[in-house]
Amino acid sequence: MGPAPHVVGILLAAGAGSRYGKPKVLVDGWLEAAVDALQDGGCAGVVLVLGAAEVPAPAGVTAIVAPDWRAGLSASVRAGLAQAGRMRADYAVLHVIDTPDVGAAVVARVLDRAVGSPSGLARAVFGDRPGHPVVIARRHWPEVVSRVSGDHGAGAYLGTRPDVELVDCADLAGGRDIDEP
């Protein structure tokens, strides 16, 4: 057995939160909850992708701004994966700011399945609903980046792959994106 993989969490938090009424990274407690989930769930580093609002990065977190964040989720995914590449990550854990009930146990479960899978791909599901986090081995990043556009993130790529491990986490969290206050 080789060395443990280097895992970087990417927290997608660049959006304006127009339906919510403000950027969701500004909602009390959500940033801390998401960072804790990634750090305690097995990520050696965390990248916070910002855009509409800039906030100080929590301890141990690398904050970046997606310059084209207005283009949608795809801009954040591209910026986050580029930074994870600079951090020499073997796996990226994509997580979103607006699922505050998703904790470290969900991240750890999905990450373990991805690392143990020949595909290196895993996605949390909550009952019959796909959600976050999503874990992607580095070898997939170029194709993920080539397929994301607008408000469509890694799901565009994952949908083409029959070998994505779907990891039921409904016993741990609801996993719903909160779009309105």
Side-chain angles (χ1 to χ4, degrees):
M1 185 169 197
H6 181 59
V7 179
V8 170
I10 300 172
L11 182 54
L12 306 171
S18 55
R19 286 177 287 172
Y20 196 86
K22 66 179 177 181
K24 295 175 190 175
V25 72
L26 300 176
V27 177
D28 283 342
W30 284 10
L31 175 59
E32 295 78 11
V35 167
D36 287 349
L38 290 167
Q39 290 177 332
D40 297 344
C43 298
V46 174
V47 175
L48 171 61
V49 184
L50 299 169
E54 293 186 37
V55 298
V61 174
T62 301
I64 63 170
V65 175
D68 54 345
W69 65 268
R70 286 181 184 84
L73 182 63
S74 60
S76 296
V77 171
R78 281 192 299 274
L81 287 175
Q83 180 63 37
R86 288 188 287 276
M87 296 168 74
R88 303 191 188 288
D90 299 310
Y91 288 85
V93 179
L94 300 178
H95 191 35
V96 291
I97 191 77
D98 60 356
T99 56
D101 74 328
V102 171
V106 173
V107 173
R109 183 181 287 176
V110 179
L111 178 58
D112 286 347
R113 281 285 286 281
V115 170
S117 168
S119 72
L121 298 168
R123 177 173 211 162
V125 294
F126 301 90
D128 61 353
R129 191 174 33 80
H132 288 89
V134 171
V135 181
I136 304 171
R138 185 183 185 111
R139 67 183 176 273
H140 297 283
W141 299 355
E143 196 163 352
V144 169
V145 167
S146 76
R147 289 181 180 255
V148 297
S149 68
D151 259 338
H152 300 284
Y157 175 69
L158 298 176
T160 68
R161 301 289 306 214
D163 54 353
V164 176
E165 298 281 338
L166 299 177
V167 184
D168 192 2
C169 297
D171 61 317
L172 299 172
R176 288 208 180 276
D177 293 356
I178 300 175
D179 290 328
E180 298 175 354

